[in-house]
Amino acid sequence: MTENKSKKTGSGKFKLAWGITGAGDQLPETFKVMEDWKKQGQIEITAVLSQAAIRVIKIYRLWETLPDIADKILLEKDANTPFIVGSLQTGRFDALLVAPTTGNSVAKIVHGVSDSLITNMVSMTNRTKTHVFLLPVEREGQEVKTTLPDGSILELLTRDLDAENTTKLQNMPGITVLDTPEDIPMLMKHNVKE
């Protein structure tokens, strides 16, 4: 399990589809982790942005950073466009990561709603052997401190309903729920194929 070579692609690089939702919480931290991981040169990243993510990334002034992280950037037009689901289902990616994941996306995923590109990607990928990793921003009993675009801190409480959905997500086969952005690089080790 020490070899990091992608078994599906044979490229020597871990191929990751990175779905980004409209969550501002943990967004700067996630970008920092992804940027550091990319600099190590072991990964090829295709970023897939929801329509809300496009707006939020621009608000957080991370739009200019994204091309330094992602080898390819796909922008959601509808639930199946651009058609990345086929590439996920046929093993062209080693894993799907959605980080950060909004409470709205988590609710849709646990209730089988696939009406956005991100939720469709999770639903269709979860039907294969390609592993899905999610970093939900809503946790049980968690008071969230998030950094706003201006650098100030905003404290938010997690609604019970959102916490329950995250718990349901943790119990879904084929999905691994990450606790922090710092956990993201571990998915490569978790996903190495024998």
Side-chain angles (χ1 to χ4, degrees):
M1 295 268 305
T2 58
E3 183 181 357
N4 287 336
K5 185 174 180 180
S6 167
K7 297 295 183 186
K8 292 181 182 177
T9 63
S11 68
K13 289 190 177 185
F14 188 82
K15 293 189 79 170
L16 178 69
W18 174 28
I20 308 172
T21 68
D25 184 27
Q26 300 183 19
L27 186 64
E29 297 87 348
T30 299
F31 264 65
K32 176 68 173 125
V33 167
M34 296 300 286
E35 188 173 26
D36 291 347
W37 193 13
K38 180 66 177 182
K39 287 178 183 175
Q40 294 176 12
Q42 309 167 354
I43 187 165
E44 185 177 312
I45 300 170
T46 297
V48 183
L49 282 60
S50 71
Q51 293 173 5
I54 296 166
R55 289 187 298 277
V56 172
I57 289 169
K58 289 178 180 178
I59 290 169
Y60 274 81
R61 298 179 186 96
L62 294 167
W63 189 255
E64 300 301 321
T65 305
L66 189 58
D68 295 333
I69 300 170
D71 299 282
K72 189 174 188 179
I73 301 169
L74 304 176
L75 307 178
E76 177 184 43
K77 292 183 178 61
D78 59 46
N80 216 22
T81 310
F83 186 67
I84 189 168
V85 170
S87 295
L88 283 158
Q89 288 185 317
T90 58
R92 293 191 182 124
F93 290 94
D94 294 298
L96 168 61
L97 166 69
V98 181
T101 312
T102 61
N104 184 51
S105 292
V106 169
K108 288 180 178 187
I109 292 163
V110 300
H111 291 89
V113 178
S114 304
D115 66 349
S116 71
L117 186 58
I118 301 292
T119 58
N120 192 32
M121 287 167 52
V122 172
S123 175
M124 294 297 106
T125 304
N126 194 242
R127 297 175 68 195
T128 71
K129 293 182 180 182
T130 301
H131 208 82
V132 179
F133 298 85
L134 293 129
L135 177 66
V137 297
E138 308 285 354
R139 300 282 179 165
E140 183 177 358
Q142 184 181 35
E143 184 175 298
V144 177
K145 290 185 180 180
T146 187
T147 305
L148 296 174
D150 67 4
S152 63
I153 302 297
L154 175 65
E155 294 182 23
L156 300 169
L157 298 175
T158 298
R159 300 180 311 166
D160 290 343
L161 178 63
D162 293 322
E164 290 168 13
N165 285 332
T166 297
T167 300
K168 289 176 185 176
L169 185 69
Q170 291 170 322
N171 294 320
M172 289 181 71
I175 292 179
T176 298
V177 174
L178 304 174
D179 292 323
T180 68
E182 291 73 26
D183 293 338
I184 292 170
M186 290 187 288
L187 71 90
M188 188 164 80
K189 292 176 185 159
H190 176 85
N191 204 56
V192 171
K193 309 289 187 233
E194 291 292 336

